[in-house]
Amino acid sequence: MTPDAVHNLTDEALVEAIVKTNDTMLFEILYDRYASMVYNKCYGFANGIDEAKDLTQDVFLRVFVKLASFKGKSKFSTWLYAFTYNHCVNYVTRNTAKKIEKKSINSDRIENIGEDVDSTSEFKQMRVEKLKKVMELISPEEKMILLLKYQDNLSIKELSEALDIGESAVKMRLKRAKEKLIIKYNKYTKDG
């Protein structure tokens, strides 16, 4: 296969080739396609650039090892989003015990969190700055599902495939996470 042909492969075909051959050169192509997306996701959970870079490298090392577990039920990018978030959530959860500083989210990325058909009017009226702070008060798992849905615009179906749970479970988790966020937001704005 020519270098041009390799670069023109779909993500899924590239993954299949990597799994068959264990070729690190092919994996570099996949890395190049998604390094900045993974870095941006990691940065939202990290305490600075160096930690985000370390998390990004860690994600790709684990992806290389776990690539065979990608079954193609969803797009590779959806699988990678979920993989990255799960890794970051686990990282934050492990480090919470060490009293790691609260993670921050880029405010321009969180603005769509209220744009959904089933959102309450309260949810839409939340101020972005306060919402950023309140996002730190909910669990990493709740933060993950809200960001996947509203920041990365994954559909319920894509979330179901990526998280390997039923669509009704996705809707319930989203509903609970949003309710908790609204409660924390209202308490924060009342106290703050």
Side-chain angles (χ1 to χ4, degrees):
M1 201 179 292
T2 67
D4 280 348
V6 170
H7 281 279
N8 291 329
L9 287 175
T10 65
D11 293 340
E12 292 73 19
L14 192 56
V15 168
E16 195 177 317
I18 295 165
V19 170
K20 278 183 187 164
T21 63
N22 241 5
D23 187 335
T24 53
M25 298 304 276
L26 291 176
F27 189 74
E28 278 183 34
I29 296 168
L30 203 58
Y31 176 88
D32 290 343
R33 287 182 187 177
Y34 288 102
S36 63
M37 181 278 287
V38 169
Y39 171 80
N40 288 333
K41 301 296 162 233
C42 291
Y43 189 77
F45 286 89
N47 286 318
I49 292 169
D50 290 339
E51 191 175 36
K53 285 179 182 172
D54 289 347
L55 268 171
T56 302
Q57 292 307 311
D58 206 19
V59 164
F60 277 105
L61 282 170
R62 290 170 192 268
V63 163
F64 187 73
V65 171
K66 300 268 188 194
L67 212 49
S69 71
F70 172 68
K71 300 294 181 224
K73 286 192 290 185
S74 61
K75 291 189 306 191
F76 174 74
S77 58
T78 303
W79 181 84
L80 184 58
Y81 273 164
F83 190 96
T84 301
Y85 274 117
N86 280 323
H87 179 74
C88 290
V89 165
N90 291 337
Y91 174 81
V92 170
T93 304
R94 278 194 308 271
N95 288 319
T96 301
K98 299 175 193 170
K99 302 250 189 247
I100 283 286
E101 231 178 271
K102 292 283 186 202
K103 310 297 172 232
S104 67
I105 302 169
N106 195 340
S107 63
D108 60 340
R109 299 234 168 133
I110 205 166
E111 287 173 1
N112 348 332
I113 206 157
E115 295 171 7
D116 195 42
V117 183
D118 63 343
S119 290
T120 63
S121 57
E122 273 180 281
F123 205 63
K124 289 180 180 169
Q125 292 164 2
M126 290 182 172
R127 306 261 334 247
V128 171
E129 280 308 305
K130 288 181 180 169
L131 188 56
K132 269 175 64 178
K133 291 181 176 79
V134 175
M135 284 291 278
E136 308 307 336
L137 305 176
I138 62 175
S139 77
E141 290 83 4
E142 291 162 335
K143 179 176 168 179
M144 175 187 76
I145 199 163
L146 289 172
L147 291 178
L148 283 169
K149 175 73 175 121
Y150 299 105
Q151 178 177 307
D152 297 321
N153 299 315
L154 295 189
S155 68
I156 298 294
K157 186 177 184 338
E158 288 172 321
L159 281 167
S160 169
E161 291 166 352
L163 302 174
D164 202 24
I165 58 175
E167 290 185 22
S168 58
V170 168
K171 289 175 185 172
M172 185 52 71
R173 287 186 191 181
L174 274 170
K175 183 177 184 287
R176 287 185 183 143
K178 287 195 300 190
E179 285 170 354
K180 190 176 281 186
L181 192 67
I182 289 166
I183 290 165
K184 300 261 187 204
Y185 180 86
N186 289 338
K187 183 176 178 0
Y188 181 83
T189 52
K190 194 174 78 178
D191 296 347

